[in-house]
Amino acid sequence: MKNNIYKIIELTGTSSTSIEDAISQAIKRAGKTLKNLCWFEVVETRGNITKGKIHHWQVTIKVGFALEG
Amino acid sequence: MKNNIYKIIELTGTSSTSIEDAISQAIKRAGKTLKNLCWFEVVETRGNITKGKIHHWQVTIKVGFALEG
Amino acid sequence: MKNNIYKIIELTGTSSTSIEDAISQAIKRAGKTLKNLCWFEVVETRGNITKGKIHHWQVTIKVGFALEG
Amino acid sequence: MKNNIYKIIELTGTSSTSIEDAISQAIKRAGKTLKNLCWFEVVETRGNITKGKIHHWQVTIKVGFALEG
Amino acid sequence: MKNNIYKIIELTGTSSTSIEDAISQAIKRAGKTLKNLCWFEVVETRGNITKGKIHHWQVTIKVGFALEG
Amino acid sequence: MKNNIYKIIELTGTSSTSIEDAISQAIKRAGKTLKNLCWFEVVETRGNITKGKIHHWQVTIKVGFALEG
Amino acid sequence: MKNNIYKIIELTGTSSTSIEDAISQAIKRAGKTLKNLCWFEVVETRGNITKGKIHHWQVTIKVGFALEG
Amino acid sequence: MKNNIYKIIELTGTSSTSIEDAISQAIKRAGKTLKNLCWFEVVETRGNITKGKIHHWQVTIKVGFALEG
Amino acid sequence: MKNNIYKIIELTGTSSTSIEDAISQAIKRAGKTLKNLCWFEVVETRGNITKGKIHHWQVTIKVGFALEG
Amino acid sequence: MKNNIYKIIELTGTSSTSIEDAISQAIKRAGKTLKNLCWFEVVETRGNITKGKIHHWQVTIKVGFALEG
Amino acid sequence: MKNNIYKIIELTGTSSTSIEDAISQAIKRAGKTLKNLCWFEVVETRGNITKGKIHHWQVTIKVGFALEG
Amino acid sequence: MKNNIYKIIELTGTSSTSIEDAISQAIKRAGKTLKNLCWFEVVETRGNITKGKIHHWQVTIKVGFALEG
């Protein structure tokens, strides 16, 4: 970890399959516009229920990435 | 989301396989006696250990459902 | 649960596959030097990201075990 | 406050007008099926947004009521 | 702990004598209508004061019990 | 904000009309005996219920004021 | 709620009239540059005091919005 | 509870015998200089240990009392 | 308090009689293997219930002790 | 630590140089009117920024002192 | 503080010398792309250790700045 | 960060000079008996006061280190 400054953003990923997949989706989306993603941290795990079954997992994470120069 | 009132209850689901399964078990059980389940939120993830291995995942969730009239 | 005293330690397990596996790794490691592991509780779920993908899940747990005599 | 036992339930009231109204709606609904409501406490204040405007206030409260005999 | 689902309710017990007694009163009352009480956890310890002395201890607990089938 | 020292006190204001009014009442009362009130922060929003209706809003705030010399 | 990714930002709205108005101001401002605002959640309610009266309500909220493609 | 304003102060009571006694000591001391004590709430329970035994229980409470006119 | 370094460990004491006794049991056990115990702090108060009655109080504490040289 | 009762107050110290100095300023000011100051605990570390630089550190602490007789 | 809307971002500053320097680095970096920085608040203080010594202080702050028009 | 398991311990370092020094003292002491120290995190910053001045800074940290094989 160099002498950098990091920015931390908050994202909610959704998935119909698992908690891990919801997190991966959020990180994949972040990677489209941000370079240097470094770490994440789970903030909240929720979901919505349709007809008595889990329809989507909704996992909110913080993602840290290094700011350039 | 209509102009409803929701009630939130707290349940602990258990499973020998995964966190997601423990949550699904709790929601399935709630659906036996409650209609209109809308969302859930994970409160705590624990487990008991037998002979050095995870025996049961115990995941506590809050479940919200719409009250009728 | 007998009239025992329990000690609680904090561990971070890591895994490239899942949250459950990171927790299992930590408990397996604890079992190498400690007997009578009883329960665990998830404290924090994080991970590091390499080239835009989750490289390791890092799950911090508390593990309780019975102290002898 | 007599030597009673109280039960505390969690409700989410919704309103398109104000935080106070969302809370009042939840308490009014609780009063339909419960006697002896004594106090409430705000747990969370949220809302959903439609077309850039607040559509519903969603206020989660805990409500305490005295259990009879 | 079998492969059950547990429900968790919140109660406030009161007592003029001690914290332990307030908790016991709440559990005794819960046992009148619920079977299979398993555990409790203290959430808050308060009290009201009359003429400069503690009049009632008010201890709020969460109580977990196994749901049947 | 000068190079001052501030003291922070905790007050509960009550009102039969609104959350904002309960806060204003508490600040007005504080201003009777304290000068240099600077800021407040809401700590807790509660209320008591009489005959199924909100009787008083009870809002606890922290109030900061500058200490003189 | 589709299979989207959401971003959550934190804003402080100010108002001389009410808590609700401070929140509405923050959401209105967010809507100038962001589409697809979905929900908000109150994080902190504060205010500054001038001459013993509330001068501005300062309400910090988190606002979630759907990221496109 | 009348339309009053309440002030809340924080005290630590100590006792060599019990948690309840430490709290009672703090309230008794508060009553020497303050009238209209209404309620208390436990914030923290600690103690110091001398020669392997609990020497003093140290219980921190918040105490609310009504401000006059 | 000398210019020492302290280590803090977490223990759960159990007792069928009282909260204070559960804490004392944990400290007594800690004293068997550790010297220089200095303070403790209550982290969590729970218990298990058998046949509708409290069977064991389970109190988790942090205990601080001075490390030698 | 004798069998005393302690009162805990909350102060915000400010300094243009460091966190430690802001805390020391608050304690020095408290010592002007209070005897028997015993301990402090940091609650919050903030600051204001002017022209892109830290202008003042603002550190909020709790300070405990022994009440006499 | 005018009738503005503020945005709050989260940054981690790093420094090999002190907590204050890590915070200053983060604010200096923020000032490169943002005008009207107003305040900051410390969220977390961490660091990494290399060969038994602190290698970098890592301090996470929230920074608030006024949004224009 | 390799596929390791980490243990986290809690220490309080003390210093008469600064927060940073108290933390460094704790880490230096940990390094006497533990290899592979990786990171730390500040949990609490306190101090004791003698004759109206800060006598010792007492900073509690969590320290993580890699467990071998």
Side-chain angles (χ1 to χ4, degrees):
Chain A
M1 195 175 273
K2 291 161 293 176
N3 197 350
N4 281 333
I5 307 299
Y6 301 84
K7 186 171 178 183
I8 299 167
I9 57 169
E10 202 165 341
L11 299 171
T12 302
T14 61
S15 163
S16 56
T17 59
S18 72
I19 294 172
E20 282 87 344
D21 186 50
I23 296 170
S24 296
Q25 296 297 329
I27 290 170
K28 194 166 73 178
R29 179 61 181 79
K32 284 190 182 175
T33 51
L34 295 169
K35 287 193 291 188
N36 307 317
L37 300 179
C38 296
W39 83 91
F40 70 92
E41 177 183 341
V42 176
V43 172
E44 191 179 52
T45 303
R46 303 169 64 107
N48 60 345
I49 306 173
T50 306
K51 296 183 182 169
K53 297 207 169 167
I54 296 170
H55 193 250
H56 273 96
W57 298 88
Q58 302 162 333
V59 187
T60 299
I61 58 173
K62 294 199 176 190
V63 183
F65 59 98
L67 292 172
E68 297 187 335
Chain B
M1 196 174 273
K2 291 160 292 174
N3 198 350
N4 280 333
I5 307 299
Y6 302 85
K7 186 171 178 183
I8 299 168
I9 58 170
E10 201 165 342
L11 299 172
T12 301
T14 60
S15 164
S16 57
T17 59
S18 72
I19 294 171
E20 282 88 345
D21 187 51
I23 296 171
S24 296
Q25 296 298 328
I27 290 170
K28 194 166 76 179
R29 180 61 182 78
K32 283 189 181 176
T33 51
L34 296 169
K35 288 192 290 188
N36 306 317
L37 300 179
C38 296
W39 83 91
F40 70 92
E41 176 183 342
V42 175
V43 172
E44 193 180 51
T45 304
R46 304 170 63 107
N48 60 345
I49 307 172
T50 307
K51 296 183 182 168
K53 298 208 170 166
I54 296 170
H55 193 250
H56 274 97
W57 299 87
Q58 302 161 332
V59 187
T60 300
I61 58 172
K62 293 199 175 189
V63 183
F65 58 98
L67 291 173
E68 298 187 336
Chain C
M1 197 174 272
K2 291 161 292 175
N3 197 350
N4 280 333
I5 308 298
Y6 302 84
K7 186 172 178 182
I8 299 168
I9 58 169
E10 201 166 342
L11 299 173
T12 301
T14 60
S15 164
S16 57
T17 60
S18 72
I19 295 171
E20 282 87 345
D21 187 51
I23 296 170
S24 295
Q25 296 297 329
I27 291 171
K28 193 166 77 177
R29 179 62 182 78
K32 283 190 181 176
T33 51
L34 295 169
K35 286 192 292 189
N36 307 318
L37 300 179
C38 296
W39 83 91
F40 70 93
E41 176 183 342
V42 176
V43 172
E44 192 180 51
T45 303
R46 303 171 63 108
N48 60 345
I49 306 173
T50 307
K51 297 183 182 168
K53 298 208 171 169
I54 298 170
H55 193 250
H56 274 96
W57 298 88
Q58 302 162 334
V59 187
T60 299
I61 58 172
K62 294 199 175 188
V63 183
F65 57 97
L67 292 173
E68 298 187 335
Chain D
M1 197 175 272
K2 291 160 292 176
N3 197 351
N4 281 332
I5 307 300
Y6 302 84
K7 186 171 178 183
I8 298 167
I9 57 170
E10 201 165 342
L11 298 172
T12 302
T14 59
S15 164
S16 57
T17 59
S18 72
I19 295 172
E20 282 88 344
D21 186 52
I23 296 170
S24 296
Q25 296 297 329
I27 290 170
K28 194 166 75 178
R29 179 62 182 78
K32 285 189 181 176
T33 52
L34 295 169
K35 288 191 291 186
N36 306 317
L37 301 179
C38 295
W39 82 90
F40 70 92
E41 176 183 342
V42 176
V43 171
E44 192 180 51
T45 304
R46 304 170 62 108
N48 60 344
I49 305 173
T50 307
K51 296 184 183 167
K53 297 209 170 168
I54 297 170
H55 193 250
H56 273 97
W57 298 88
Q58 302 161 334
V59 187
T60 300
I61 59 172
K62 295 200 174 188
V63 183
F65 58 98
L67 292 172
E68 298 187 335
Chain E
M1 197 174 274
K2 292 161 292 176
N3 198 352
N4 281 333
I5 308 298
Y6 302 85
K7 186 171 178 183
I8 299 167
I9 57 170
E10 202 166 341
L11 299 172
T12 302
T14 60
S15 164
S16 55
T17 60
S18 72
I19 295 172
E20 282 87 345
D21 186 51
I23 296 171
S24 296
Q25 296 297 330
I27 291 170
K28 194 166 76 178
R29 179 63 181 77
K32 284 189 180 176
T33 52
L34 296 169
K35 286 192 292 188
N36 305 318
L37 300 179
C38 295
W39 83 89
F40 70 93
E41 177 184 341
V42 175
V43 173
E44 191 180 51
T45 304
R46 303 170 63 107
N48 60 345
I49 306 174
T50 307
K51 297 183 183 169
K53 297 207 169 167
I54 298 171
H55 193 249
H56 274 97
W57 298 87
Q58 302 162 332
V59 187
T60 300
I61 59 172
K62 293 199 176 189
V63 183
F65 58 97
L67 292 172
E68 297 186 337
Chain F
M1 198 175 271
K2 291 161 292 176
N3 199 350
N4 281 334
I5 307 300
Y6 302 84
K7 186 171 178 183
I8 298 167
I9 57 170
E10 202 165 342
L11 298 172
T12 301
T14 60
S15 163
S16 57
T17 60
S18 72
I19 295 172
E20 282 87 345
D21 186 51
I23 297 170
S24 295
Q25 296 297 329
I27 291 170
K28 194 167 76 178
R29 179 62 181 78
K32 284 190 182 176
T33 51
L34 295 170
K35 287 192 291 188
N36 307 316
L37 300 179
C38 295
W39 83 90
F40 70 92
E41 177 183 341
V42 175
V43 172
E44 192 180 50
T45 303
R46 304 171 62 107
N48 60 344
I49 306 173
T50 307
K51 296 183 182 168
K53 298 208 170 168
I54 298 170
H55 193 251
H56 274 96
W57 298 88
Q58 302 162 333
V59 187
T60 299
I61 59 173
K62 294 200 175 190
V63 183
F65 58 97
L67 292 172
E68 297 186 337
Chain G
M1 195 176 274
K2 291 163 292 177
N3 198 351
N4 281 332
I5 308 298
Y6 302 84
K7 186 171 179 183
I8 298 167
I9 58 169
E10 201 166 342
L11 299 173
T12 302
T14 59
S15 163
S16 56
T17 59
S18 72
I19 295 171
E20 281 88 344
D21 187 51
I23 295 171
S24 295
Q25 295 297 329
I27 290 170
K28 194 166 76 177
R29 179 63 182 79
K32 284 189 182 176
T33 51
L34 296 169
K35 288 192 291 187
N36 307 317
L37 300 179
C38 296
W39 82 90
F40 71 92
E41 177 184 341
V42 175
V43 172
E44 191 181 51
T45 304
R46 304 171 62 107
N48 61 344
I49 306 173
T50 306
K51 296 185 183 166
K53 298 207 170 168
I54 297 171
H55 193 250
H56 274 96
W57 298 87
Q58 301 162 333
V59 186
T60 299
I61 59 173
K62 295 199 175 189
V63 183
F65 58 98
L67 291 172
E68 297 185 337
Chain H
M1 197 175 272
K2 291 161 292 174
N3 198 352
N4 282 332
I5 307 300
Y6 302 84
K7 187 172 178 182
I8 299 168
I9 57 170
E10 201 165 343
L11 299 172
T12 302
T14 60
S15 163
S16 57
T17 60
S18 72
I19 295 171
E20 281 88 344
D21 187 50
I23 296 170
S24 295
Q25 296 297 329
I27 290 170
K28 194 166 75 178
R29 180 61 181 80
K32 284 190 181 176
T33 52
L34 296 169
K35 287 192 290 187
N36 306 316
L37 301 178
C38 296
W39 82 91
F40 70 92
E41 176 182 343
V42 175
V43 172
E44 192 179 52
T45 303
R46 305 171 63 107
N48 61 344
I49 306 173
T50 307
K51 296 184 182 168
K53 298 209 171 168
I54 297 170
H55 193 250
H56 274 97
W57 298 87
Q58 302 161 333
V59 187
T60 299
I61 58 172
K62 294 199 175 190
V63 183
F65 58 97
L67 291 173
E68 299 187 336
Chain I
M1 196 176 272
K2 290 163 291 175
N3 197 351
N4 280 332
I5 308 298
Y6 302 84
K7 186 172 178 183
I8 298 168
I9 58 169
E10 202 165 342
L11 298 172
T12 301
T14 60
S15 164
S16 56
T17 60
S18 72
I19 295 171
E20 282 87 344
D21 187 50
I23 296 171
S24 296
Q25 295 297 328
I27 291 170
K28 193 166 76 177
R29 179 62 181 78
K32 283 189 181 175
T33 53
L34 296 169
K35 288 192 291 188
N36 306 316
L37 300 179
C38 296
W39 83 90
F40 70 92
E41 177 182 342
V42 175
V43 172
E44 192 180 51
T45 303
R46 303 171 64 108
N48 60 346
I49 306 173
T50 307
K51 296 184 182 168
K53 297 209 172 167
I54 297 170
H55 193 249
H56 272 97
W57 297 88
Q58 302 161 334
V59 187
T60 300
I61 59 173
K62 294 200 174 189
V63 183
F65 58 97
L67 292 172
E68 298 186 337
Chain J
M1 196 175 272
K2 291 161 291 174
N3 199 350
N4 281 333
I5 307 298
Y6 302 84
K7 186 171 178 183
I8 299 168
I9 57 169
E10 202 165 343
L11 298 172
T12 302
T14 61
S15 163
S16 57
T17 60
S18 73
I19 294 171
E20 282 88 345
D21 186 50
I23 296 170
S24 296
Q25 296 297 328
I27 290 171
K28 194 166 76 178
R29 178 63 181 77
K32 283 189 182 178
T33 51
L34 297 169
K35 287 193 291 188
N36 306 317
L37 300 179
C38 296
W39 82 90
F40 70 93
E41 178 182 341
V42 175
V43 172
E44 192 179 50
T45 303
R46 304 169 65 107
N48 60 345
I49 306 173
T50 307
K51 296 183 182 169
K53 298 209 169 166
I54 297 170
H55 193 249
H56 273 97
W57 298 87
Q58 302 162 332
V59 187
T60 300
I61 58 172
K62 293 199 175 190
V63 183
F65 59 96
L67 291 173
E68 297 187 337
Chain K
M1 196 174 273
K2 291 161 293 175
N3 197 351
N4 280 331
I5 306 300
Y6 301 85
K7 187 172 178 182
I8 298 168
I9 58 170
E10 202 165 341
L11 299 172
T12 302
T14 60
S15 164
S16 57
T17 60
S18 72
I19 295 171
E20 281 88 344
D21 186 50
I23 296 170
S24 296
Q25 296 297 328
I27 291 170
K28 194 165 75 178
R29 180 62 182 78
K32 283 190 180 175
T33 51
L34 295 169
K35 287 192 291 187
N36 306 318
L37 301 179
C38 295
W39 83 90
F40 69 93
E41 177 183 342
V42 175
V43 172
E44 192 180 52
T45 303
R46 303 170 64 108
N48 61 345
I49 306 173
T50 307
K51 296 183 182 167
K53 297 207 170 168
I54 297 170
H55 194 250
H56 274 97
W57 298 88
Q58 301 162 334
V59 187
T60 299
I61 58 173
K62 294 199 175 188
V63 183
F65 58 97
L67 292 172
E68 297 186 336
Chain L
M1 196 175 274
K2 290 161 292 176
N3 197 351
N4 281 333
I5 308 298
Y6 302 84
K7 187 173 177 182
I8 299 167
I9 57 169
E10 201 165 342
L11 299 172
T12 302
T14 60
S15 164
S16 56
T17 59
S18 72
I19 295 171
E20 282 87 344
D21 187 50
I23 296 170
S24 296
Q25 296 297 328
I27 291 170
K28 194 166 76 178
R29 179 62 181 78
K32 284 189 180 176
T33 52
L34 295 170
K35 288 193 290 187
N36 306 318
L37 300 180
C38 296
W39 82 90
F40 70 93
E41 176 184 342
V42 175
V43 172
E44 191 180 52
T45 303
R46 303 171 64 108
N48 60 346
I49 306 173
T50 308
K51 296 182 183 170
K53 298 208 170 167
I54 297 170
H55 193 250
H56 273 97
W57 298 87
Q58 302 162 333
V59 187
T60 299
I61 58 173
K62 294 199 175 189
V63 183
F65 59 96
L67 292 173
E68 298 187 336

